[in-house]
Amino acid sequence: MSETFRKFLRTLPDFPSDLPGFDPDSAPQDPALLFKQWLDEALDSGERQPHAFSLATVGGGADSGPQPSSRMLILKNIDDDGWHFATSRTSRKGRELAESPRAAMNFYWPGLGRQVRVVGPVSELSAEASAVDWHERPRADGSDNPHWQLYALQPTEIEFWQASNDGQHVRHRVGPDGQALG
């Protein structure tokens, strides 16, 4: 099966020829503004759930040592505290964040050939902010959830990646202040 599967995977399309261009020199200096611009363009192009991202964390495996894990979440906000997301403190991700409060977010908009990767330490936001987030969820039923936690990832690195059909992909890595990283 592996040879057949490998050949099958090679037949799947890469990136289309009509992807948008990206010139980092003309991008907003503030990475949050550039992210918002790309999010708006993803919405305009019909991307479904453009605020969804993969969150990667690392947790200790009892026998196997630290193990990475990832799952999909929804971006809640971006402000001076960082890039907000929420989960239960008792979930696997909540336990991993308590053990190792660092994470990576990855947003992917396939129709535009774009990704945004955000990496940094994670902190818990207040119980009050967490309660407000719980009650603002679309499925909120008025009940309380004392395990619900709103987190903020404070970026140390943000990477904007634009695919190109010719393989000349554009990678724009910046710090939280918008300064280019090597």
Side-chain angles (χ1 to χ4, degrees), residues 79-155:
D79 65 14
D80 290 342
D81 290 326
W83 297 50
H84 298 202
F85 63 93
T87 190
S88 173
R89 283 189 301 279
T90 60
S91 70
R92 178 176 177 173
K93 19 182 202 313
R95 292 189 310 271
E96 289 171 346
L97 288 167
E99 182 179 318
S100 179
R102 298 191 59 76
M105 301 172 147
N106 192 57
F107 297 84
Y108 178 52
W109 304 304
L112 297 172
R114 288 180 171 169
Q115 294 184 60
V116 177
R117 188 174 54 86
V118 185
V119 179
V122 174
S123 61
E124 292 184 358
L125 297 179
S126 70
E128 294 79 14
S130 298
V132 167
D133 182 73
W134 175 256
H135 290 289
E136 287 180 345
R137 295 169 5 132
R139 295 174 308 282
D141 62 5
S143 65
D144 291 327
N145 183 346
H147 301 292
W148 193 251
Q149 182 61 56
L150 188 62
Y151 294 91
L153 185 150
Q154 188 62 243

Side-chain angles (χ1 to χ4, degrees), residues 20-114:
F22 174 56
D23 177 10
D25 292 333
S26 64
Q29 176 80 18
D30 181 345
L33 290 178
L34 178 55
F35 177 82
K36 176 71 168 82
Q37 177 183 325
W38 278 25
L39 182 74
D40 288 342
E41 291 171 10
L43 277 167
D44 290 345
S45 74
E47 292 285 350
R48 295 174 55 109
Q49 295 182 311
H51 58 318
F53 65 94
S54 173
L55 179 75
T57 55
V58 175
D63 298 326
S64 56
Q67 294 294 314
S69 64
S70 66
R71 78 284 297 148
M72 299 300 293
L73 294 175
I74 298 294
L75 182 67
K76 305 290 187 147
N77 194 17
I78 300 173
D79 65 14
D80 290 342
D81 290 326
W83 297 50
H84 298 202
F85 63 93
T87 190
S88 173
R89 283 189 301 279
T90 60
S91 70
R92 178 176 177 173
K93 19 182 202 313
R95 292 189 310 271
E96 289 171 346
L97 288 167
E99 182 179 318
S100 179
R102 298 191 59 76
M105 301 172 147
N106 192 57
F107 297 84
Y108 178 52
W109 304 304
L112 297 172
R114 288 180 171 169

